[in-house]
Amino acid sequence: MCGRSKDGCPLITFPDYNNFHNLSDLDYQKLILYLTSVPSLSEADLGFNLIIDRRKDRWAAVKAVLLKISIYFPGMVHFVYVLRPSGFLQKAISEVSNKFFKDEFRFRVVVCATLDDLYEYISKTQLTLELGGELAYSHHDWIQQRISLEKFSGLTNMISCNLDVFMKSIHEMEFPNSVDATEKLIEEQGEQYEKLKEDIMAAGRHGEVLLEEMRTKKECDKETVERFGNISSIERLKSVPVRKLSSGKRNPFRDPSFILL
Protein backbone atom coordinates (compact mmCIF):
# COMPACT_ATOMS: atom_id res chain seq x y z
CA MET A 1 0.00 0.00 0.00
CA CYS A 2 1.05 3.60 -0.60
CA GLY A 3 -0.64 6.98 -0.30
CA ARG A 4 -2.74 8.74 -2.91
CA SER A 5 -2.22 10.01 -6.42
CA LYS A 6 -2.39 13.69 -7.31
CA ASP A 7 -6.09 13.32 -8.09
CA GLY A 8 -6.79 11.60 -4.75
CA CYS A 9 -7.00 8.00 -5.96
CA PRO A 10 -5.63 5.30 -3.62
CA LEU A 11 -2.29 3.79 -4.64
CA ILE A 12 -1.46 0.09 -4.46
CA THR A 13 2.12 -1.08 -4.97
CA PHE A 14 3.20 -4.48 -6.24
CA PRO A 15 6.72 -4.64 -4.72
CA ASP A 16 9.75 -6.07 -6.45
CA TYR A 17 9.87 -9.39 -4.58
CA ASN A 18 9.90 -11.68 -7.62
CA ASN A 19 7.25 -14.00 -6.14
CA PHE A 20 4.04 -12.66 -7.62
CA HIS A 21 3.95 -15.48 -10.15
CA ASN A 22 3.70 -17.99 -7.29
CA LEU A 23 0.19 -16.81 -6.47
CA SER A 24 -2.67 -18.79 -7.94
CA ASP A 25 -5.45 -16.84 -9.60
CA LEU A 26 -7.71 -17.52 -6.61
CA ASP A 27 -5.09 -16.32 -4.10
CA TYR A 28 -4.49 -13.23 -6.20
CA GLN A 29 -8.21 -12.45 -6.25
CA LYS A 30 -8.44 -12.82 -2.47
CA LEU A 31 -5.39 -10.61 -1.92
CA ILE A 32 -6.53 -7.83 -4.24
CA LEU A 33 -10.09 -7.95 -2.98
CA TYR A 34 -8.80 -7.42 0.54
CA LEU A 35 -6.41 -4.62 -0.40
CA THR A 36 -9.09 -2.76 -2.32
CA SER A 37 -11.39 -3.00 0.71
CA VAL A 38 -8.93 -1.10 2.93
CA PRO A 39 -9.65 2.45 1.63
CA SER A 40 -12.99 4.03 2.47
CA LEU A 41 -15.87 3.48 0.06
CA SER A 42 -15.67 7.08 -1.13
CA GLU A 43 -11.96 6.68 -1.90
CA ALA A 44 -12.44 3.33 -3.63
CA ASP A 45 -15.17 4.84 -5.80
CA LEU A 46 -12.56 7.20 -7.25
CA GLY A 47 -10.68 4.24 -8.70
CA PHE A 48 -7.10 3.12 -8.14
CA ASN A 49 -3.64 3.84 -9.49
CA LEU A 50 -1.15 0.98 -9.31
CA ILE A 51 2.64 0.85 -9.13
CA ILE A 52 4.39 -2.29 -10.37
CA ASP A 53 8.01 -2.45 -9.27
CA ARG A 54 9.85 -5.00 -11.40
CA ARG A 55 13.34 -3.53 -11.47
CA LYS A 56 14.89 -6.85 -10.42
CA ASP A 57 12.59 -9.06 -12.44
CA ARG A 58 12.14 -10.09 -16.06
CA TRP A 59 9.98 -8.34 -18.61
CA ALA A 60 7.78 -11.43 -18.93
CA ALA A 61 6.82 -10.98 -15.26
CA VAL A 62 5.58 -7.46 -16.01
CA LYS A 63 3.28 -8.75 -18.71
CA ALA A 64 1.99 -11.49 -16.38
CA VAL A 65 1.12 -8.96 -13.67
CA LEU A 66 -0.64 -6.66 -16.12
CA LEU A 67 -2.72 -9.54 -17.46
CA LYS A 68 -3.82 -10.58 -13.97
CA ILE A 69 -4.73 -7.01 -13.11
CA SER A 70 -6.70 -6.66 -16.32
CA ILE A 71 -8.68 -9.85 -15.70
CA TYR A 72 -9.17 -9.97 -11.94
CA PHE A 73 -8.79 -6.50 -10.41
CA PRO A 74 -12.17 -5.78 -8.75
CA GLY A 75 -12.09 -1.98 -8.94
CA MET A 76 -11.53 0.72 -11.53
CA VAL A 77 -7.89 1.24 -12.52
CA HIS A 78 -6.88 4.54 -14.10
CA PHE A 79 -3.09 4.27 -14.37
CA VAL A 80 -0.53 1.52 -13.90
CA TYR A 81 3.02 2.80 -13.42
CA VAL A 82 5.61 0.15 -14.25
CA LEU A 83 9.18 0.42 -12.97
CA ARG A 84 10.73 -1.63 -15.72
CA PRO A 85 13.42 -4.33 -15.32
CA SER A 86 16.85 -2.75 -15.00
CA GLY A 87 19.07 -5.43 -16.58
CA PHE A 88 20.67 -4.51 -19.90
CA LEU A 89 18.94 -7.29 -21.85
CA GLN A 90 15.63 -6.66 -20.10
CA LYS A 91 15.85 -2.96 -20.94
CA ALA A 92 16.25 -3.81 -24.60
CA ILE A 93 13.30 -6.21 -24.49
CA SER A 94 11.14 -3.68 -22.64
CA GLU A 95 11.79 -0.98 -25.21
CA VAL A 96 10.41 -3.29 -27.89
CA SER A 97 7.58 -4.81 -25.82
CA ASN A 98 6.44 -1.45 -24.51
CA LYS A 99 5.30 -0.44 -27.99
CA PHE A 100 2.98 -3.42 -28.29
CA PHE A 101 1.15 -3.83 -24.98
CA LYS A 102 0.09 -0.27 -24.16
CA ASP A 103 -3.17 -0.66 -26.06
CA GLU A 104 -3.94 -4.17 -24.78
CA PHE A 105 -5.45 -3.12 -21.45
CA ARG A 106 -8.43 -1.11 -20.24
CA PHE A 107 -6.14 1.13 -18.17
CA ARG A 108 -3.27 3.36 -19.17
CA VAL A 109 0.21 1.87 -18.69
CA VAL A 110 3.09 4.25 -17.98
CA VAL A 111 6.55 2.68 -18.13
CA CYS A 112 9.13 4.36 -15.88
CA ALA A 113 12.81 3.69 -16.51
CA THR A 114 13.85 5.18 -13.14
CA LEU A 115 12.34 6.36 -9.88
CA ASP A 116 12.77 9.93 -11.06
CA ASP A 117 10.39 9.13 -13.90
CA LEU A 118 7.86 7.89 -11.35
CA TYR A 119 8.18 11.09 -9.31
CA GLU A 120 6.93 13.06 -12.30
CA TYR A 121 3.54 11.43 -11.77
CA ILE A 122 3.42 10.71 -8.03
CA SER A 123 4.76 12.85 -5.20
CA LYS A 124 7.49 11.41 -2.99
CA THR A 125 5.31 12.21 0.01
CA GLN A 126 2.88 9.53 -1.18
CA LEU A 127 5.49 6.81 -1.76
CA THR A 128 7.10 4.46 0.75
CA LEU A 129 10.81 4.40 1.54
CA GLU A 130 11.52 1.42 -0.74
CA LEU A 131 10.47 3.63 -3.65
CA GLY A 132 12.61 6.51 -2.44
CA GLY A 133 9.58 8.21 -0.93
CA GLU A 134 8.89 9.89 2.39
CA LEU A 135 5.82 7.96 3.53
CA ALA A 136 6.52 6.13 6.80
CA TYR A 137 5.33 2.55 6.51
CA SER A 138 6.11 -0.68 8.31
CA HIS A 139 4.62 -3.75 6.66
CA HIS A 140 4.88 -5.72 9.92
CA ASP A 141 3.02 -3.03 11.85
CA TRP A 142 0.40 -2.77 9.12
CA ILE A 143 -0.25 -6.53 9.24
CA GLN A 144 -0.52 -6.49 13.03
CA GLN A 145 -2.95 -3.58 12.88
CA ARG A 146 -5.07 -5.32 10.26
CA ILE A 147 -5.14 -8.50 12.38
CA SER A 148 -6.36 -6.46 15.35
CA LEU A 149 -8.88 -4.76 13.11
CA GLU A 150 -10.20 -8.07 11.75
CA LYS A 151 -10.60 -9.43 15.28
CA PHE A 152 -12.45 -6.29 16.27
CA SER A 153 -14.60 -6.59 13.16
CA GLY A 154 -15.50 -10.16 14.10
CA LEU A 155 -16.41 -9.03 17.62
CA THR A 156 -18.67 -6.20 16.46
CA ASN A 157 -20.31 -8.42 13.84
CA MET A 158 -21.07 -11.05 16.49
CA ILE A 159 -22.58 -8.45 18.82
CA SER A 160 -24.58 -6.96 15.97
CA CYS A 161 -25.98 -10.38 15.05
CA ASN A 162 -26.83 -11.11 18.70
CA LEU A 163 -28.62 -7.79 18.92
CA ASP A 164 -30.62 -8.56 15.76
CA VAL A 165 -31.66 -11.93 17.17
CA PHE A 166 -32.64 -10.35 20.48
CA MET A 167 -34.72 -7.59 18.90
CA LYS A 168 -36.46 -10.12 16.67
CA SER A 169 -37.36 -12.22 19.72
CA ILE A 170 -38.79 -9.11 21.40
CA HIS A 171 -41.00 -8.27 18.45
CA GLU A 172 -42.22 -11.86 18.12
CA MET A 173 -42.64 -12.48 21.85
CA GLU A 174 -46.00 -13.66 23.17
CA PHE A 175 -46.74 -12.94 26.82
CA PRO A 176 -47.90 -15.74 29.13
CA ASN A 177 -51.37 -15.58 30.61
CA SER A 178 -50.24 -15.24 34.22
CA VAL A 179 -48.82 -12.06 35.72
CA ASP A 180 -46.01 -13.89 37.51
CA ALA A 181 -44.84 -15.62 34.32
CA THR A 182 -44.99 -12.34 32.41
CA GLU A 183 -42.94 -10.52 35.03
CA LYS A 184 -40.37 -13.32 35.01
CA LEU A 185 -40.13 -13.21 31.21
CA ILE A 186 -39.67 -9.44 31.22
CA GLU A 187 -37.01 -9.73 33.92
CA GLU A 188 -35.07 -12.40 32.00
CA GLN A 189 -35.14 -10.47 28.76
CA GLY A 190 -34.26 -7.29 30.60
CA GLU A 191 -31.12 -9.03 31.83
CA GLN A 192 -30.33 -10.09 28.26
CA TYR A 193 -30.76 -6.50 27.14
CA GLU A 194 -28.38 -5.20 29.79
CA LYS A 195 -25.85 -7.89 28.88
CA LEU A 196 -25.99 -6.89 25.21
CA LYS A 197 -25.67 -3.25 26.16
CA GLU A 198 -22.58 -3.99 28.25
CA ASP A 199 -21.08 -6.04 25.39
CA ILE A 200 -21.57 -3.08 23.05
CA MET A 201 -20.04 -0.64 25.50
CA ALA A 202 -17.10 -3.01 26.09
CA ALA A 203 -16.55 -3.29 22.33
CA GLY A 204 -16.61 0.49 22.11
CA ARG A 205 -13.96 0.76 24.81
CA HIS A 206 -11.87 -1.86 23.03
CA GLY A 207 -12.16 0.15 19.83
CA GLU A 208 -10.99 3.28 21.63
CA VAL A 209 -7.92 1.39 22.87
CA LEU A 210 -7.11 0.28 19.31
CA LEU A 211 -7.52 3.82 18.02
CA GLU A 212 -5.23 5.20 20.69
CA GLU A 213 -2.58 2.57 19.96
CA MET A 214 -2.61 3.38 16.25
CA ARG A 215 -2.49 7.12 16.80
CA THR A 216 0.47 6.89 19.14
CA LYS A 217 2.60 4.57 17.02
CA LYS A 218 6.14 5.92 16.96
CA GLU A 219 6.66 4.82 13.36
CA CYS A 220 3.55 6.52 11.98
CA ASP A 221 1.84 9.76 12.83
CA LYS A 222 -1.95 10.04 12.87
CA GLU A 223 -2.16 11.22 9.26
CA THR A 224 -0.15 8.25 8.01
CA VAL A 225 -2.19 5.71 9.98
CA GLU A 226 -5.44 7.21 8.70
CA ARG A 227 -4.07 7.03 5.17
CA PHE A 228 -3.88 3.25 5.41
CA GLY A 229 -7.53 3.00 6.37
CA ASN A 230 -7.26 1.58 9.90
CA ILE A 231 -8.65 4.49 11.90
CA SER A 232 -11.65 5.07 9.65
CA SER A 233 -12.39 1.32 9.66
CA ILE A 234 -12.40 1.10 13.46
CA GLU A 235 -14.59 4.18 13.81
CA ARG A 236 -17.03 2.70 11.29
CA LEU A 237 -17.13 -0.67 13.06
CA LYS A 238 -17.63 0.95 16.47
CA SER A 239 -20.72 2.78 15.29
CA VAL A 240 -22.65 -0.20 13.89
CA PRO A 241 -23.92 -1.91 17.08
CA VAL A 242 -24.24 1.44 18.86
CA ARG A 243 -26.55 2.73 16.13
CA LYS A 244 -28.66 -0.40 16.42
CA LEU A 245 -28.88 -0.05 20.17
CA SER A 246 -29.76 3.64 20.03
CA SER A 247 -32.35 3.06 17.31
CA GLY A 248 -34.58 1.61 20.03
CA LYS A 249 -34.29 4.98 21.83
CA ARG A 250 -35.39 3.49 25.16
CA ASN A 251 -34.82 0.29 27.05
CA PRO A 252 -38.15 -1.49 26.49
CA PHE A 253 -37.85 -3.14 29.86
CA ARG A 254 -37.69 0.27 31.58
CA ASP A 255 -40.64 1.60 29.60
CA PRO A 256 -44.03 1.04 31.31
CA SER A 257 -45.84 1.22 27.97
CA PHE A 258 -43.97 -1.91 26.88
CA ILE A 259 -46.12 -4.04 29.20
CA LEU A 260 -49.22 -2.82 27.43
CA LEU A 261 -48.09 -4.01 23.99
Side-chain angles (χ1 to χ4, degrees):
M1 298 294 291
C2 277
R4 299 185 180 94
S5 64
K6 293 179 180 179
D7 53 2
C9 295
L11 294 171
I12 295 180
T13 299
F14 294 80
D16 193 15
Y17 294 153
N18 296 328
N19 60 358
F20 188 81
H21 63 278
N22 293 329
L23 288 178
S24 67
D25 290 345
L26 180 59
D27 288 339
Y28 167 80
Q29 287 178 278
K30 291 179 179 178
L31 173 63
I32 294 302
L33 186 62
Y34 185 81
L35 291 178
T36 53
S37 71
V38 172
S40 66
L41 293 177
S42 60
E43 290 175 333
D45 286 343
L46 295 174
F48 293 83
N49 288 344
L50 312 181
I51 301 172
I52 300 176
D53 185 359
R54 286 297 176 270
R55 287 171 289 175
K56 299 177 183 178
D57 211 335
R58 297 172 294 107
W59 188 250
V62 175
K63 186 71 174 289
V65 174
L66 291 174
L67 286 173
K68 283 200 173 187
I69 291 172
S70 179
I71 297 172
Y72 298 114
F73 197 88
M76 180 186 300
V77 178
H78 297 293
F79 290 90
V80 175
Y81 301 98
V82 178
L83 282 166
R84 72 181 189 183
S86 57
F88 177 78
L89 178 59
Q90 295 301 323
K91 281 184 179 180
I93 295 175
S94 69
E95 289 173 357
V96 175
S97 301
N98 183 33
K99 298 177 182 179
F100 294 99
F101 72 73
K102 279 192 173 182
D103 296 328
E104 292 183 19
F105 306 105
R106 53 188 170 86
F107 42 77
R108 183 179 174 187
V109 178
V110 179
V111 178
C112 301
T114 65
L115 286 174
D116 287 334
D117 291 346
L118 180 63
Y119 302 153
E120 293 181 10
Y121 302 97
I122 301 174
S123 170
K124 282 187 176 183
T125 61
Q126 303 299 311
L127 297 172
T128 56
L129 299 179
E130 64 184 9
L131 293 175
E134 303 170 3
L135 186 61
Y137 173 73
S138 167
H139 193 57
H140 176 268
D141 286 347
W142 185 82
I143 290 176
Q144 294 304 312
Q145 289 172 3
R146 296 307 298 185
I147 290 174
S148 297
L149 178 60
E150 293 302 329
K151 290 181 179 179
F152 183 59
S153 175
L155 174 63
T156 57
N157 286 337
M158 181 185 67
I159 293 174
S160 181
C161 289
N162 290 342
L163 186 56
D164 286 338
V165 171
F166 175 73
M167 295 307 295
K168 182 179 180 181
S169 69
I170 292 297
H171 291 302
E172 297 177 352
M173 179 176 61
E174 294 183 3
F175 285 100
N177 292 328
S178 70
V179 174
D180 290 342
T182 299
E183 289 180 346
K184 182 179 179 181
L185 177 61
I186 292 176
E187 181 180 354
E188 290 175 350
Q189 294 194 332
E191 292 174 355
Q192 294 177 29
Y193 176 89
E194 293 299 329
K195 175 63 168 58
L196 277 171
K197 182 178 177 180
E198 176 54 34
D199 288 344
I200 293 172
M201 296 300 105
R205 291 190 293 270
H206 180 56
E208 288 295 337
V209 172
L210 289 179
L211 285 174
E212 186 62 25
E213 288 178 353
M214 291 180 183
R215 286 170 173 161
T216 56
K217 281 286 184 181
K218 293 182 179 180
E219 294 82 3
C220 301
D221 58 15
K222 177 182 175 182
E223 179 182 358
T224 302
V225 176
E226 286 178 339
R227 189 174 296 160
F228 292 117
N230 295 332
I231 287 181
S232 59
S233 297
I234 291 177
E235 291 175 339
R236 185 168 61 250
L237 288 170
K238 278 178 55 188
S239 67
V240 173
V242 174
R243 284 201 306 268
K244 287 188 176 182
L245 182 67
S246 61
S247 65
K249 297 182 180 179
R250 292 179 293 184
N251 180 342
F253 305 102
R254 304 294 186 191
D255 183 2
S257 64
F258 175 76
I259 302 177
L260 302 178
L261 294 178

